[in-house]
């Protein structure tokens, strides 16, 4: 969404909004791991092509040549899903006080969120070693911005151009994450939806951070006939990451 609108001769405003969502079903193609940690490509290379996919009992046929490698088809039983969302929004209002002087207020919001769901069933070698393993992880970062700008632009005698910007800005950053692992499930069907069924929970973790930034700034620019330029910038910042003495 991208909207701009004028309100009379002195006021104009606008809004931009962008949202995206990506849902992925991931297949373990391998990240350099070996044996039971190998992906489907290496496991397929190591598997005897003369063997059937399933044995006479309907279970996945073990790799008789390399028993510590997966049956490559069994890796497809691993559930690994990811959802990514991104929301970005900005809005502004501009008021022209005089032909050469304007006041602008703008704000912004940016959020990134990801969720990962993973279950390794007992039909794989690595899943059997833990009697099933479920993992869930979530991350979210949210940023806010509020900015107030006073802009002055003036040309004298057709060749002397002066522009000045005075401004203040507030920015807030927030990040949080959580992840958990559960193993030793009574059956595979629960996946990651009921991790409390896992008798063992070897890992539960969370993290978060928050900070704020307050800034004041000024920019002064002069040029002569768009040939010779002089620019001066001044800025002062205060951050919650600093101690009270800074």
């Amino acid at each position: 969404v991208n909207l701009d609108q004028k309100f009379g001769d002195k006021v104009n405003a606008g809004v931009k909004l962008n949202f995206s969502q990506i849902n992925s079903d991931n297949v373990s193609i391998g990240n350099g791991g070996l044996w039971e940690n190998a992906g489907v490509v290496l496991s397929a290379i190591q598997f005897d092509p003369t063997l059937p996919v399933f044995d006479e009992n309907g279970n996945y046929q073990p790799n008789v040549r390399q028993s510590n490698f997966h049956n490559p088809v069994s890796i497809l039983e691993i559930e690994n899903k990811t959802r990514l969302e991104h929301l970005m929004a900005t809005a502004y209002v501009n008021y022209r006080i005089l032909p050469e002087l304007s006041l602008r207020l703008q704000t912004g919001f940016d959020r990134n969120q990801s969720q990962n769901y993973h279950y390794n069933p007992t039909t794989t070698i690595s899943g059997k070693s833990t009697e099933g393993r479920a993992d869930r992880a979530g991350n979210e970062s949210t940023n806010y911005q509020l900015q107030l700008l006073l802009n002055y632009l003036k040309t004298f005698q057709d060749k002397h151009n002066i522009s000045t910007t005075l401004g203040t800005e507030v920015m807030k950053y927030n990040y949080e994450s959580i992840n958990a692992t559960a193993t030793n499930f009574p059956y595979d069907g629960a996946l990651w939806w009921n991790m409390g069924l896992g008798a063992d929970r070897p890992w539960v973790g969370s993290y978060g951070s928050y900070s704020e930034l307050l800034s004041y700034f000024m920019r002064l620019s002069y040029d002569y006939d768009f040939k010779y330029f002089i620019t001066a910038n001044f800025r002062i910042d205060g951050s919650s990451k600093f101690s009270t003495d800074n």
Side-chain angles (χ1 to χ4, degrees):
V1 178
N2 189 354
L3 299 175
D4 288 283
Q5 181 67 47
K6 294 188 67 175
F7 302 92
D9 296 331
K10 292 192 174 184
V11 179
N12 62 295
V15 175
K16 291 183 179 180
L17 181 65
N18 182 40
F19 175 77
S20 64
Q21 179 174 300
I22 301 174
N23 297 300
S24 304
D25 286 327
N26 310 303
V27 177
S28 177
I29 61 174
N31 57 358
L34 295 175
W35 320 128
E36 69 274 8
N37 296 316
V40 66
V41 175
L42 184 56
S43 296
I45 293 173
Q46 295 293 331
F47 196 77
D48 186 345
T50 65
L51 294 175
V53 175
F54 300 98
D55 61 19
E56 62 275 9
N57 297 318
N59 300 316
Y60 283 107
Q61 171 66 46
N63 188 344
V64 295
R65 259 192 343 186
Q66 294 278 359
S67 60
N68 49 0
F69 275 93
H70 292 285
N71 180 318
V73 181
S74 72
I75 296 178
L76 300 178
E77 298 282 346
I78 298 175
E79 296 278 356
N80 189 359
K81 300 180 183 295
T82 303
R83 184 176 71 246
L84 304 175
E85 292 182 355
H86 183 207
L87 174 62
M88 183 171 62
T90 60
Y92 76 92
V93 176
N94 194 80
Y95 176 67
R96 187 166 296 280
I97 304 170
L98 298 171
E100 65 275 5
L101 183 65
S102 63
L103 183 66
R104 182 183 179 95
L105 175 66
Q106 58 188 34
T107 184
F109 172 82
D110 189 0
R111 189 193 71 176
N112 284 281
Q113 186 179 50
S114 67
Q115 295 287 335
N116 180 255
Y117 311 88
H118 180 272
Y119 186 78
N120 193 353
T122 56
T123 52
T124 68
I125 296 174
S126 54
K128 183 63 178 176
S129 67
T130 58
E131 291 300 320
R133 170 173 171 159
D135 297 272
R136 285 196 65 170
N139 301 275
E140 182 177 312
S141 63
T142 307
N143 303 324
Y144 305 89
Q145 179 195 43
L146 181 65
Q147 194 175 69
L148 183 64
L149 302 172
L150 183 65
N151 296 300
Y152 177 81
L153 179 63
K154 183 72 173 179
T155 299
F156 300 92
Q157 299 177 358
D158 296 329
K159 292 189 176 181
H160 301 275
N161 304 297
I162 296 176
S163 66
T164 303
T165 298
L166 297 174
T168 181
E169 182 179 50
V170 177
M171 300 188 72
K172 297 182 179 182
Y173 306 91
N174 184 69
Y175 176 81
E176 58 185 63
S177 67
I178 187 168
N179 51 78
T181 297
T183 60
N184 199 0
F185 284 83
Y187 59 93
D188 285 328
L191 301 179
W192 49 78
W193 299 116
N194 191 352
M195 297 179 69
L197 285 178
D200 300 315
R201 285 172 285 279
W203 176 257
V204 176
S206 61
Y207 173 77
S209 64
Y210 177 82
S211 64
E212 295 184 6
L213 180 69
L214 174 63
S215 303
Y216 299 95
F217 51 88
M218 181 179 71
R219 184 185 67 186
L220 177 63
S221 179
Y222 167 81
D223 72 81
Y224 175 76
D225 199 22
F226 299 103
K227 295 180 180 179
Y228 307 99
F229 298 84
I230 298 176
T231 301
N233 294 285
F234 305 91
R235 185 181 182 102
I236 183 171
D237 298 300
S239 174
S240 62
K241 293 184 178 181
F242 301 151
S243 68
T244 55
D245 297 328
N246 291 306

